[in-house]
Amino acid sequence: MKDDRDDHLVFSPSVVAWPLYFVLTMWLVYWVEVRFSIYLNDYGILPRTFVGLRGIVLSPFLHGSLEHIYNNSVALLVLIAAVRYFYRRQALQVIGYGILLSGSFTWLIGRESYHIGASGLIYVLVSFIFFKGIQTGYYRLVALSLMVVVLYGGMVWYIFPDIEQGISWEGHLGGFLSGLLFARIYKTPEFKAPILYDWQQPDFDPRHDKFMKRFDENGNFVNPPRPEDIEVVDPEIVSPSPQILPFVYRYIITPDKKGDDPQNDL
């Protein structure tokens, strides 16, 4: 049986183009920094300062080392493609608002240092994909959630302080909470399970259901009353006449052992 929810999973060039464009922009900025010896980290998030507000938008495209940008690039290629394919209607909002909300959270609670990198967005996507997939209950999205746990489950430890020096745990925590919030507020009616039974209807009232009436207030099943006796009109049904079976009589005559005269038996 075909599931109608599968029709909403449509591949398009944007599934590949979005992550490529985003990652190429990151690498272009990093190349400019290296090629022209420009130090752009000052454009990151500087918490609780007016000039640091610009970093909310710019920080995802700034990275401090080759290892930093490489690790973020691999994760973003996978996660942006996944959210665009499986959550087409919500993808742009999750990415755009995720950058703003996780960056704002970092600006509010972050340490007095420049916070750069796309890790906050990565945590937004991981959190959203995981919680939204479990919430929908649709088997394909649940499988995606489990895959995210396998690939990125260890990242959860880096939302706590003092796990590793030199990382912005504030940005990670902000991204994680933002993804959880988006999973709650963005609805996915296209993945709602189809209604198969009457009790799944939103206007179902168990008080008017014949089967539910068989249960008392304690939840015990009450047997229905016995049906009335049915009067039988045809007497043949009540006392059918016996059937007479035919009998076959067979006679066997054997000769007498003392002679041929049958009168010797008298």
Side-chain angles (χ1 to χ4, degrees), residues 215-231:
F215 294 87
D216 59 16
E217 62 276 3
N218 297 322
N220 299 319
F221 184 78
V222 179
N223 291 321
R226 295 181 58 184
E228 298 179 358
D229 295 335
I230 302 175
E231 181 181 359

Side-chain angles (χ1 to χ4, degrees), residues 176-235:
F176 181 84
L177 296 178
S178 299
L180 176 59
L181 177 63
F182 294 155
R184 296 292 299 176
I185 64 176
Y186 287 128
K187 305 302 180 183
T188 52
E190 64 272 22
F191 296 120
K192 187 177 180 180
I195 296 177
L196 302 177
Y197 306 101
D198 292 339
W199 54 266
Q200 294 177 317
Q201 298 288 346
D203 56 348
F204 174 75
D205 188 353
R207 297 174 298 178
H208 299 156
D209 185 74
K210 294 182 179 180
F211 178 74
M212 297 301 296
K213 289 180 180 179
R214 299 273 66 86
F215 294 87
D216 59 16
E217 62 276 3
N218 297 322
N220 299 319
F221 184 78
V222 179
N223 291 321
R226 295 181 58 184
E228 298 179 358
D229 295 335
I230 302 175
E231 181 181 359
V232 179
V233 178
D234 191 351

Side-chain angles (χ1 to χ4, degrees), residues 6 45 90:
D6 294 342
I45 300 174
Q90 300 82 12

Side-chain angles (χ1 to χ4, degrees), residues 8 13 56 93 148 219 233 239 253:
H8 297 282
I56 295 176
Q93 292 87 339
V148 167
V233 178
S239 57
I253 302 175

Side-chain angles (χ1 to χ4, degrees), residues 79 83 93-103 118-131 155 171-172 174-180 182-183:
L79 295 172
V83 76
Q93 292 87 339
V94 171
I95 296 174
Y97 293 142
I99 292 175
L100 297 178
L101 188 57
S102 62
S119 300
L121 176 59
I122 292 174
Y123 275 80
V124 170
L125 299 177
V126 169
S127 178
F128 174 79
I129 292 174
F130 173 75
F131 288 110
M155 292 171 48
H172 299 170
F176 181 84
L177 296 178
S178 299
L180 176 59
F182 294 155

Side-chain angles (χ1 to χ4, degrees), residues 7-71:
D7 296 336
H8 297 282
L9 301 179
V10 180
F11 181 84
S12 65
S14 61
V15 175
V16 178
W18 283 24
L20 281 179
Y21 290 157
F22 196 95
V23 170
L24 285 176
T25 303
M26 289 168 31
W27 280 92
L28 178 61
V29 174
Y30 185 76
W31 178 82
V32 170
E33 285 189 278
V34 174
R35 177 65 177 80
F36 299 100
S37 300
I38 301 175
Y39 189 73
L40 299 178
N41 288 3
D42 292 344
Y43 288 86
I45 300 174
L46 187 60
R48 295 172 300 280
T49 63
F50 180 77
V51 69
L53 289 173
R54 63 188 179 184
I56 295 176
V57 177
L58 300 178
S59 62
F61 304 98
L62 305 175
H63 294 82
S65 66
L66 185 62
E67 181 183 4
H68 188 198
I69 190 174
Y70 172 77
N71 292 334

